[in-house]
Amino acid sequence: MCTARAMADIYEANRPICKYVHSTSRGHEAIQLATAFQLQPCDYVSPYYRDESIMLGLGFQPYQLMLQLLAKGDDIFTGGREYYNHPNYRGNDKPNIIHQSSATGMQAIPTTGVAQGLKYLERINSSLLKKDENGRGGVVICSLGDASVTEGEVSEAFQFAALHQLPVIFLVQDNDWGISVSSSEARTNNAFEFIQGFKGINRITVDGSDFAKSFTVMEHVVNDVRTQRQPWLVHAKVPLLGHHTSGVRKDFYRTDEDLTKHYMDDPGPKLRAILLQQGIDEAALIDIEEEASALVKIDFDKAVAAPEPSPETVSDFVFAPQEITEEKGERAGAGKEKVLMVDAALFAIREIMEDFPEALLYGQDVGRRLGGVFREAATLAEQFGDHRVFNTAIQEAYIIGSTVGMSAVGAKPIVEVQFADYIYPGLNQLVTEISKSSYLSCGKFPVQALIRVPIGAYGGGGPYHSGSIESTLLTIKGIKIVYPSNAADMKGLLKAAFLDPNPVVMLEHKGLYWSKVPGTEEAKMTEPGRDYVIPLGKGNVVLNADQEKIDSGGSCCVITYGMGVYWAKAAAKKFAGQVEIIDLRTLFPLDEELVFATVKKHGKCLILTEEQQNNSFAEALAGRVGKACFKNLDAAVEVLGALDLPAVPMNTILEQAMLPNAEKVAARLKELLNY
C-alpha cells in the first residue's frame, strides 16, 4: 500500500514528465492486494486501468509499471503502445493477463471467454491446462469499475457465465463515481443487487477499504471457484482518493464534503491503525514507508531515463506469422464428387474438428436441432457433442469477443454470426479487443479465431438479411477477410483460415451456398482432398483472355469476388476471348501482385462489387490500381457496384434494380472495350 501511495504521489509531483493519461489505485489498494495475493500461475486476471495495486500484488515492480506510464520502449507489456496499467502478460511465474482495452466493461466478454475456454479444456482433459499445487484448476478474475456494469456487454458476459457455470469471478470495485457521473445519476442499483437477476452467480459484498475483510472474502471466493467451478460476483465498496485520471482531476467536479467522506476510508491509515493496535512497532512501519518511497524514487528516475521506443518498431506485431504460405493438397480430391458450397464448408469443419480436439463451433442456431439456418452445421452436434457444437443466445458481442479469451488459453473457436447484417452489435469487440490484441500485446496474444458470416442478397431477403459489409470490415486493421466464390475455394480457404493464428472473418455468400441462383451452377465443384489449403492473400484467374485480343489491345480485365464472379462470367460470354476475370478470394490481405500485373497486361479494368458503390472497398481499390498502373492504363479504372441505397429492398424487382447483374456488367464492359 505504501508503494502504491508513493507511486501516486511521485506521478502527481511530476505531472509534466508523466504526460500520458493515467489513473492510480488510491483508495482501492486493499481489495486489489487481497485479490492479487490469492492468485497463482495457473490463473488468469484482467485488471482494469485503476488496478496498479493488483499488479504490485502479483509481483510486478514499480519500474515495470512506470515504463508503461511513460510509454517507454522497454515496457514489457506493450512496448510503449498502451496507456498506464493496460497490461498483458504470458509466463509461468505469474497469472496470465490477456490484452484488453481501456476496460470500461469491454474486457468482461473476452475474460469470460477465458473461463469458457478453461471449462472446455478441462472437459476434454487437455494437456494445455495448468493446475495449482493441489491439482486444482485455474480461476479467472475480471476486474471492473462500478460504472462499467451498466454496459450491455457486461450483461452478456454475466448471462453466459451464469448459464454455463464458468470459473470466473467478477470483481466490481464500487467508488460511486464514473468520471463525473455519480452512482445516483447512472443506475438504479449497485452490482451486488443487479447480479440477482442472473441466476447461478454467487454474490458477496465487502468493505473493500478493509484489508483483512477483503483478504478473507477473496480467499473464500477464490477457493470456492477452484473447487466448485462456479461464477461469483464480489462487490467491493471503496473510496476514490485520486483523480479519475491525470487529465480529469477530482477538483473539477467533486466537493470538499465528498472528498472528506472518501478520505475517511483510506485503506492505508486503516491498516496502519490496526497494525499498531496489534502491537507492531511504529518504527517498523515508518521503515516500511520510507523504504517504499525510496524504491519508488529510484525506479521513477530509472524509468524516466529509459530509452524511447524505436520508430522502426511501429509496424511490428500487427499479425502473427501466417502458417499457410502456398497452395497444397488436391483441389479436386480423388474419388470425390461435386459438392455445394454449403457442404464444402460443412465437410471442412467436420475434418477440422476430427483433427483438432480443441476446436469447437458455436453461434445462433448452429446446434443440434437446426444445424444453422442454412444447414451449414448440419449433423455436427450429433457427431461431436453439444459441448463442442452448441447454440448461443442472441449475443453477437459475446460470440465474437469470447474468441479472445478462448484463443488465449489454447482453444480454437469457430463462431458464426447468423447474417452479415447482424455483425454490428459485435463490432465493438471486433474493433476494440480482437483486432488490437496482437499489436498491443507485442505479439503475445494474437487471436486465433474464425468468424463465419453469411452475406449477400438474392431472392427477396430484405433489408436485414441481404447486406454487404466488407467495406466496413476492411476499415478495421488487424483482421483478415476472405470471401470464397465456389466449393473448392470454400474448403481450402476455410481450412487455411482456421490454421491462421490471427482473426479471420469468412464472408460466405448465401446465394452461392446452394447454387440456386441462375448462373451460379459452377459454384458447385469437386470436393478437394482433406489436405487442401489455399494461402490467404492469393487471388485466382477464373477466366483467361485470348493472347491475340490482349496483343491487339482489345481486352480488359474484371477484378471481383463473391457473386461478382458469376455476373462477370455471364457477361464475358458476349465478348469472346476479350475478358479476363480475377477472383480476389481474399480481400485482406489482397493479392496486389496479381491485380496490378493483370491490369497492366490489359490496360483496361472494371472492378465489380455487390456492395453499394460509393465510398466502397471497390472504389478504394480503383484508386490504388490507378496509381500503381497509371502508365499502363488506356482508360480510367471503372467501378460497378450496387446503387447507393441505405438497404436492400424486400421486393425482388426492387432488389434487382439495386444490384449489379450480368446485363449491367456487359453494358459497362462494352463501353470499356470500345473506349
Side-chain angles (χ1 to χ4, degrees), residues 491-640:
K491 187 171 184 182
L493 288 169
L494 195 151
K495 286 206 168 185
F498 172 81
L499 294 170
D500 198 296
N502 302 289
V504 181
V505 178
M506 190 154 187
L507 303 177
E508 306 172 9
H509 201 294
K510 62 184 192 288
L512 300 177
Y513 266 156
W514 298 87
S515 288
K516 289 182 177 179
V517 177
T520 63
E521 294 80 8
E522 291 180 0
K524 184 177 180 181
M525 299 184 75
T526 302
E527 183 192 354
R530 190 184 193 96
D531 58 347
Y532 183 61
V533 289
I534 301 170
L536 307 189
K538 293 295 182 182
N540 187 37
V541 181
V542 296
L543 180 67
N544 286 291
D546 292 344
Q547 191 62 48
E548 179 184 351
K549 300 292 186 182
I550 297 172
D551 293 341
S552 66
S555 67
C556 68
C557 63
V558 179
I559 312 298
T560 190
Y561 55 94
M563 187 64 79
V565 171
Y566 298 93
W567 293 328
K569 280 185 175 183
K573 292 177 181 178
K574 299 183 179 181
F575 308 95
Q578 292 182 274
V579 179
E580 188 154 319
I581 302 173
I582 301 297
D583 181 358
L584 292 175
R585 302 198 294 196
T586 303
L587 306 187
F588 189 88
L590 183 69
D591 193 348
E592 288 188 344
E593 181 180 357
L594 176 62
V595 170
F596 296 162
T598 303
V599 174
K600 289 176 181 178
K601 181 168 64 172
H602 296 279
K604 303 184 188 74
C605 172
L606 171 64
I607 299 177
L608 174 61
T609 178
E610 183 173 323
E611 278 196 297
Q612 291 92 326
Q613 181 174 325
N614 196 29
N615 298 324
S616 65
F617 158 67
E619 286 197 334
L621 179 57
R624 288 154 66 187
V625 169
K627 182 176 181 180
C629 306
F630 180 75
K631 293 181 180 180
N632 302 88
L633 290 173
D634 299 322
V637 178
E638 291 284 332
V639 179
L640 177 60

Side-chain angles (χ1 to χ4, degrees), residues 296-375:
V296 166
K297 176 65 166 64
I298 291 169
D299 279 5
F300 184 74
D301 290 343
K302 184 180 173 184
V304 170
E308 300 289 340
S310 169
E312 286 73 25
T313 66
V314 69
S315 296
D316 292 349
F317 305 115
V318 176
F319 292 108
Q322 185 169 316
E323 295 187 11
I324 305 300
T325 57
E326 59 184 45
E327 187 172 358
K328 294 181 180 179
E330 294 181 290
R331 182 169 174 85
K336 299 278 189 176
E337 297 181 351
K338 283 191 173 184
V339 295
L340 296 164
M341 267 185 66
V342 70
D343 289 333
L346 173 67
F347 300 156
I349 292 179
R350 176 181 296 155
E351 291 172 1
I352 285 169
M353 297 189 76
E354 289 170 348
D355 294 341
F356 296 90
E358 62 271 31
L360 64 170
L361 170 69
Y362 56 97
Q364 295 169 32
D365 297 305
V366 303
R368 184 183 298 267
R369 294 186 194 88
L370 187 60
V373 294
F374 298 102
R375 303 294 289 156

Side-chain angles (χ1 to χ4, degrees), residues 89-112:
Y89 186 76
R90 189 187 284 277
N92 295 316
D93 62 329
K94 296 180 180 69
N96 281 351
I97 305 171
I98 63 172
H99 162 265
Q100 59 193 308
S101 67
S102 280
T104 50
M106 296 307 97
Q107 82 279 30
I109 285 175
T111 308
T112 304

Side-chain angles (χ1 to χ4, degrees), residues 172 189-196 203-205 233-235:
V172 180
N189 50 22
N190 65 34
F192 179 74
E193 297 159 341
F194 180 60
I195 204 65
Q196 291 182 92
R203 64 180 183 139
I204 193 168
T205 189
L233 181 136
V234 176
H235 172 253

